[in-house]
Structures are given as C-alpha cells and as structure tokens.
C-alpha cells in the first residue's frame, strides 16, 4: 500500500512529529518553506534560539523572524496590533510576508535583538505548516508557540533552497533536516518581504527588506505603496553594502553590455568565469560557463540561489551576473545581487 505523506493516526507524518518533539526539546530542525530552507528553534526557548546563532555564525544582535501556524497566534507575540496588520494577514498569510509589530513583554531578548518589536510570518509551504501545527499541539509552558527560523546557511552566505544545501553547510550542527517530500519546493526562492508596521503614524508602512511579495500587491491592501527600504537596503553603491547572500567566489553584477565585455576580457587572459544571465547572449561562451535563468522575475528568483551555489562549486576566477532592470518587479532580486556582490 502506498503510504501517503500525511499518514499516521494524528494525520501528521512521523518525521514531522519527530521534528516537532525535537524542537520542543530545544533542538534545531531545518525545514522547507516556500521562500528558502529555515533553521528552526523554539522561539520561546532562549537556550534553543541561541543555538541558531552558533550554528550560523550569526551576530547575536540580529533579530529572528518567528514563524506561526495561524494568523490568530500573532496575538500571543505582538501587542497593540494595528487594524491594517489583520487585513494584511488576511490577504497574504500563509505567504512570503513578514510583519514587524510591537512585541509582547514575555518574549526572550535573543529573538528580538533587544528591540521592542517582533517579526512574524505564517509560511505557506505545506511541510512548514504541518510542522508548526504539530509543534503548537504539543504541551508547553510559554505564552506562545512559534518557531524562530532564519535561512539555514552560514551567516552572509547563499541561502539554501534544497535539503542537500543545508546538509552540505550545516549538516553536523542540526538535529534534523526535513527533506521536502511534497512537490511544493521553495517555489518563491528568495526570502520574505519584511514590512514594518510599528511607525505607521510617522513613517507609514516601511519595507525593511524587499522579497517574495511585491510592493504593488501590498499596495492593494494598504491603499498606497509602502515606503521603500531606506539607506543600506536600497543600495545605490553596492560596494558600501554589508556582504550577504554571497558565494565564496568573487561576484560582480553588471549590465548586459559590460558583462559581455568582461567575459571577452577574461577570455583573453584565460580567466574562466561563470555567468548568470536573464537572457542568452549570442556567440560562443569560450572557456566560460553560462547559466540563463529567466527574464521573468518570479522564475529567476526561484532558480537564483541554486544557480549561485552551482557556479560557486565550479571554482571560477569570478562569477559575473547580469543585473536585471531597475524596475519594481525586480527589486527583491536586485537587492540580493547587490549584496552578493558587496565585499
Ligand atoms: P532573516 O535574516 O531572514 O532571518 O531576517 C531577519 C531580518 O528580519 C532582520 O535582519 C530584520 O531586518 C528583520 N527583523 C527580524 N526581527 C525583527 C524585529 N524584532 N524588529 C525589526 N526587524 C526585525
Ligand atoms: Mg538569511
């Protein structure tokens, strides 16, 4: 008899139940979400959350996003929730939107980086949701059930979109890596959009990080476009950025013409490069390896991190990336590429 994924008496797969129990016991579990693979710990357990920072090599003052099984659970974690947050949650949860809200007082400082705000999201991946539901169903002492989960990679490196990426990078550091046994995959491919709703009266709704949900979609609920990310998140000068999402191989993001010229110049001095493109370029690649992702931003985003990992493994002198156009629909991808290119 074929065993369905959601088998077992409780309707929860044995792996997911084991993972939930492991999280409750203070362990680390990596699991698929529709954005990227997350490195999860019990968000109410400071000791467990601290293990995330050790495994990733993440600075302790970087707050973590708390993942919830249901939108209603936000009330356990956030205080003074503005009405617009409920409308956004209705429209976009489960999904790639993280809301920053005023926090409840009981939450461990390590989760919020000592700030008075909390970042919350209900993810859409079916395995992430079943894990969150199984976790929330277990007996607990804390006021809320949530899983803190940043991307399951070493700090600053390329985010994982497959279980194999996580095992490669953090294998020895986590108790469990949940294999994605559904067809869902990390179909968004880049991290969630982070929207700050804690300064509505003064700054309005502010995008802290562009991501899987477009600003234009948020505008349909907000009635207006959210404010774009300020300062470091909207890079005009990539070199000034903190490096993030970066492969080990040096990476340069260039427009199409400059990329063609750079490949020619590298070829003349026998420097082998990997190139990531939106559209194919004419002419033979020579020593270089070209990867054409897509001219459609959603398709490009889905394939981006796996392609960067693949090119990184090939040990080129340099990875050259075609920078997509400066339009709203490419904002999240451009943000990742600027940071991947930053030194
Ligand atoms: P990630 O690196 O995907 O785990 O996302 C973490 C990012 O979410 C942080 O770098 C912040 O930009 C944002 N964030 C998380 N928690 C908070 C919080 N409590 N207050 C404000 N921003 C937060
Ligand atoms: Mg990350």
């Amino acid at each position: 008899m074929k065993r369905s994924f959601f088998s077992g008496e409780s309707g929860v797969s044995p792996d997911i139940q084991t993972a939930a129990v492991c999280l409750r016991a203070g362990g680390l579990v990596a699991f698929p979400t529709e954005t990227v693979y997350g490195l999860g710990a019990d968000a109410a357990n400071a000791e467990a959350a601290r293990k995330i920072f050790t495994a990733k090599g993440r600075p302790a003052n970087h707050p973590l996003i708390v993942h919830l099984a249901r939108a209603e659970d936000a009330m356990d974690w956030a205080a003074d929730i503005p009405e617009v947050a409920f409308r956004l949650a209705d429209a976009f949860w489960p999904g790639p939107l993280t809301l920053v809200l005023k926090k409840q007082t009981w939450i461990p400082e390590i989760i919020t980086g000592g700030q008075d705000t909390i970042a919350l999201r209900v993810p859409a991946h079916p395995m992430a949701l079943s894990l969150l539901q199984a976790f929330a169903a277990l007996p607990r002492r804390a006021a809320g059930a949530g899983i803190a989960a940043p991307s399951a990679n070493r700090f600053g490196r390329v985010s994982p979109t497959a279980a194999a990426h996580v095992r490669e990078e953090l294998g020895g550091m986590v108790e469990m890596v949940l294999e994605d046994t559904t067809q869902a995959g990390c179909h968004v491919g880049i991290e969630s959009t982070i929207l700050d709703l804690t300064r509505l009266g003064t700054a309005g709704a502010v995008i802290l990080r562009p991501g899987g949900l477009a600003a234009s979609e948020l505008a349909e609920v907000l009635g207006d476009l959210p404010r774009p990310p300020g300062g470091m998140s909207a890079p005009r000068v990539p070199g000034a950025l903190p490096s993030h999402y970066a492969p080990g191989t040096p990476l340069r993001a260039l427009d199409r013409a400059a990329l063609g010229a750079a490949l020619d110049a590298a070829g003349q001095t026998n420097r082998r490069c990997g190139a990531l493109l939106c559209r194919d370029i004419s002419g033979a690649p020579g020593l270089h390896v070209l990867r054409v992702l897509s001219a459609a931003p959603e398709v490009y985003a889905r394939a981006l991190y796996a392609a960067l990992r693949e090119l990184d493994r090939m040990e080129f002198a340099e990875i050259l990336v075609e920078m997509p156009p400066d339009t709203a629909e490419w904002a999240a991808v451009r943000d990742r590429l600027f940071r991947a290119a930053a030194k």
Side-chain angles (χ1 to χ4, degrees), residues 56 58 150-151 153 159 191 244-245:
K56 282 183 63 90
R58 181 173 167 122
S151 54
N153 52 275
S159 307
E191 293 77 359
H244 216 88
Y245 316 107

Side-chain angles (χ1 to χ4, degrees), residues 293-307:
L293 293 188
S294 177
E298 293 85 28
V299 183
Y300 186 109
R302 197 174 300 150
L304 172 62
Y305 290 142

Side-chain angles (χ1 to χ4, degrees), residues 58 62-65 100 111-112 115 117-119 149-151 191 194 208-209 244:
R58 181 173 167 122
H62 281 224
L64 300 172
I65 296 172
V100 174
I111 298 295
T112 61
Q115 304 185 64
T117 52
I118 179 93
S151 54
E191 293 77 359
I194 303 179
L208 299 181
R209 173 180 73 192
H244 216 88

Side-chain angles (χ1 to χ4, degrees), residues 177-337:
V177 180
L178 276 178
E179 193 74 46
D180 187 355
T181 53
T182 70
Q183 300 301 307
C186 299
H187 77 267
V188 174
I190 54 173
E191 293 77 359
S192 61
T193 300
I194 303 179
L195 188 69
D196 184 357
L197 297 177
T198 62
R199 293 171 288 154
L200 287 174
T202 49
V206 180
I207 290 190
L208 299 181
R209 173 180 73 192
L213 188 71
S216 57
E217 292 196 69
L218 288 169
E220 286 176 24
V221 173
L222 293 170
D224 207 350
L225 276 176
R227 300 290 176 86
M232 304 299 273
S233 311
R236 295 280 140 198
V237 190
L241 279 173
S243 170
H244 216 88
Y245 316 107
T249 312
L251 181 147
R252 255 193 305 162
L254 303 166
D255 69 31
R256 232 175 135 68
L259 186 135
L263 285 178
D264 286 345
Q268 275 160 22
T269 53
N270 269 330
R271 288 172 70 249
R272 245 178 114 234
C273 294
L276 208 59
L277 303 160
C278 301
R279 288 192 192 82
D280 214 347
I281 46 175
S282 54
L287 341 159
H288 309 307
V289 172
L290 311 183
R291 287 284 176 269
V292 181
L293 293 188
S294 177
E298 293 85 28
V299 183
Y300 186 109
R302 197 174 300 150
L304 172 62
Y305 290 142
L308 283 178
R309 280 176 180 266
E310 185 204 357
L311 292 177
D312 201 17
R313 274 197 304 271
M314 295 165 95
E315 300 189 338
F316 295 112
E318 198 174 19
I319 297 172
L320 300 171
V321 183
E322 175 187 357
M323 188 52 98
D326 189 2
T327 58
E329 51 172 359
W330 283 102
V333 164
R334 285 170 56 90
D335 170 80
R336 304 308 185 268
L337 293 176

